[in-house]
Amino acid sequence: MIQERSWQSLKGEGLAKEYSKKRVVQEVSIQVSRGEIVGLLGPNGAGKTTLMKMITGVLEPDDGTVTINGCDIVQDRAKVQAKIGYLPENAPVYPDLTVQDYLLMMAELRLIEPDKQISSVREAIHAVNLEQVATRLIGQLSKGMRQRVGLAQAILHKPEILILDEPTVGLDPTQIVEIRQLIKNLAKQSTVLFSTHILSEVEALCERVIMIMNGKIKADSKLSELADSDNAILILDEDQPDADRLIKQLSDVISVKKDIIANDFPLYYIKSKPDSDITPKIFKLSVENNWPVRELRKDVHTLESIFNELAIAE
C-alpha cells in the first residue's frame, strides 16, 4: 500500500455522495502527491465521475472533506479551484467560437491578468499542438481536436493539479496515443489524476493506480507493488504423487493448489506468507526428491488479473 507522504497536493477524506437514497461514493479517502500521475480505475458506474466532481468542487460532498495544500475546497472554494485544471468527460467547449476566442474567454473567466491572457492562450495552444486550428471554429474540429481544446482550457492558468475524467473516451487509436503523450508532457508541470475504465490506459501512463468499485476504494498501490507476489508456480514434466503434500509441509507455505495444464503437465500454485520468497525452498525440495522440474517461478500479477479478482469479489 502507498505510504504516508510528508507533502500532499490533494487529500480527500471520508468522501461520500448519495443520489436517490443510493450512495454512489462511500467513505472514500484519497491522496495524490506532487508530481504523480495517478489513474483512478473502475468500471462504468463505479463512482469515478462523482468522486472527481467532489474533488474539483463541482459537487459538494454529503460527508468528508477535500483539501489542497491544507485549504478546504468547501470553505475556500475559489482559492482551491484556482489550483485545479479540470477536464470533464465531455469537454466544455463552444462550437460556435474559434479555438483562440474560446480560450481567451476562458482566460478571462479564470481571472488571468488581462496583459497575460494572450500569452497564456498561446502557451496552452502550443502545449497541446493546436497551432494549425487556432482560428477554426471548434464545431468544425474532430473529437480528438476538441479534446485537445478541452485540455488547453484546463491548463491555461498553469494549475498545480490536473483532473481529467475519461480523457480518451470515444477517440480512435491514433488520437488516444496522441492524448496520452500530451498527458505525459503536461505531468511535467502538474500533478495529474485521471479516471478511466481502460486497463491499458493506466499501464501506459501511471506508476500508481487507485481502483474503485461500487463507490469504494478497493486498491491503492504502485503498479510495481501490485505486480509483485511472493507466491510461486511449480510445473513438473510428470505427476509426483507426494508433491503437494511435501510442499505443504514447507515453512511459510499457506496452501497448495494443483492443476493439470497442456500436455498433462502438473502445475502447483503455492501460496505463501507475505514477505517470504518460497522458491528457494521449493527448488531444494525438488532436487532432494528428483522431481522433473519444467518451470519454477514467482507468480506475477497483472493489472487485469487483480482487477478481475476484485470485480468477482464484489
Side-chain angles (χ1 to χ4, degrees):
M1 297 297 290
I2 297 297
Q3 296 179 344
E4 286 281 327
R5 296 171 173 81
S6 59
W7 193 99
Q8 282 86 32
S9 292
L10 181 154
K11 188 173 185 178
E13 292 186 293
L15 293 171
K17 191 66 181 179
E18 184 177 293
Y19 293 125
S20 301
K21 297 184 179 180
K22 179 183 178 182
R23 283 211 157 189
V24 295
V25 174
Q26 307 181 51
E27 304 300 325
V28 165
S29 294
I30 180 174
Q31 296 181 20
V32 182
S33 297
R34 179 167 48 186
E36 286 191 298
I37 306 179
V38 178
L40 183 63
L41 177 65
N44 292 328
K48 302 187 299 295
T49 294
T50 300
L51 178 58
M52 286 192 149
K53 285 181 177 179
M54 288 191 287
I55 288 171
T56 56
V58 175
L59 280 178
E60 191 166 323
D62 295 332
D63 292 302
T65 60
V66 176
T67 57
I68 292 178
N69 295 353
C71 295
D72 188 281
I73 199 164
V74 174
Q75 297 177 3
D76 205 350
R77 191 180 306 274
K79 182 178 179 180
V80 175
Q81 287 183 330
K83 302 177 183 294
I84 298 173
Y86 178 40
L87 176 63
E89 184 174 348
N90 297 308
V93 295
Y94 289 82
D96 294 332
L97 293 179
T98 65
V99 172
Q100 61 186 14
D101 286 343
Y102 165 72
L103 292 176
L104 281 169
M105 179 188 72
M106 295 304 297
E108 188 169 347
L109 290 173
R110 277 290 185 184
L111 302 180
I112 296 174
E113 295 177 17
D115 61 337
K116 295 181 179 179
Q117 289 180 6
I118 291 177
S119 61
S120 295
V121 168
R122 285 175 178 168
E123 289 175 15
I125 285 175
H126 176 71
V128 298
N129 300 323
L130 284 172
E131 288 94 341
Q132 294 183 349
V133 298
T135 58
R136 288 180 58 184
L137 293 175
I138 294 173
Q140 296 175 349
L141 303 180
S142 68
K143 183 173 176 60
M145 282 296 181
R146 292 198 300 273
Q147 200 75 335
R148 288 173 185 244
V149 176
L151 278 171
Q153 67 79 26
I155 64 171
L156 266 175
H157 55 304
K158 297 181 175 62
E160 294 180 15
I161 299 172
L162 199 54
I163 308 290
L164 310 175
D165 192 2
E166 300 274 6
T168 63
V169 68
L171 303 184
D172 65 37
T174 300
Q175 293 169 335
I176 288 173
V177 172
E178 292 172 347
I179 294 296
R180 285 177 181 172
Q181 188 56 52
L182 286 175
I183 293 171
K184 286 182 179 179
N185 292 338
L186 294 173
K188 295 174 183 177
Q189 60 188 25
S190 299
T191 297
V192 178
L193 173 66
F194 75 94
S195 70
T196 183
H197 61 276
I198 303 170
L199 296 172
S200 59
E201 199 96 286
V202 173
E203 293 172 325
L205 285 171
C206 301
E207 291 185 358
R208 177 180 161 210
V209 60
I210 298 173
M211 295 189 190
I212 182 170
M213 296 180 183
N214 292 328
K216 299 178 182 178
I217 299 296
K218 306 301 291 187
D220 180 355
S221 292
K222 291 182 178 180
L223 293 182
S224 58
E225 293 172 347
L226 281 174
D228 192 26
S229 170
D230 292 311
N231 299 332
I233 291 177
L234 171 67
I235 302 176
L236 303 178
D237 277 336
E238 58 187 44
D239 193 26
Q240 302 295 312
D242 291 333
D244 51 352
R245 178 180 63 81
L246 293 173
I247 294 170
K248 286 179 183 177
Q249 293 176 357
L250 293 173
S251 61
D252 297 325
V253 170
I254 296 174
S255 64
V256 179
K257 181 180 178 182
K258 180 181 177 182
D259 198 3
I260 302 297
I261 59 174
N263 298 317
D264 294 329
F265 295 138
L267 178 148
Y268 301 87
Y269 181 78
I270 302 133
K271 186 176 181 179
S272 63
K273 295 178 181 177
D275 301 320
S276 60
D277 183 1
I278 199 70
T279 51
K281 295 179 182 179
I282 297 171
F283 178 75
K284 182 179 179 181
L285 183 66
S286 300
V287 172
E288 291 173 349
N289 289 274
N290 295 315
W291 292 343
V293 176
R294 172 167 289 269
E295 183 177 349
L296 172 61
R297 58 179 169 84
K298 292 182 71 174
D299 186 27
V300 178
H301 293 154
T302 65
L303 187 59
E304 181 178 7
S305 67
I306 296 166
F307 186 82
N308 288 336
E309 285 177 12
L310 292 172
I312 291 171
E314 281 292 301

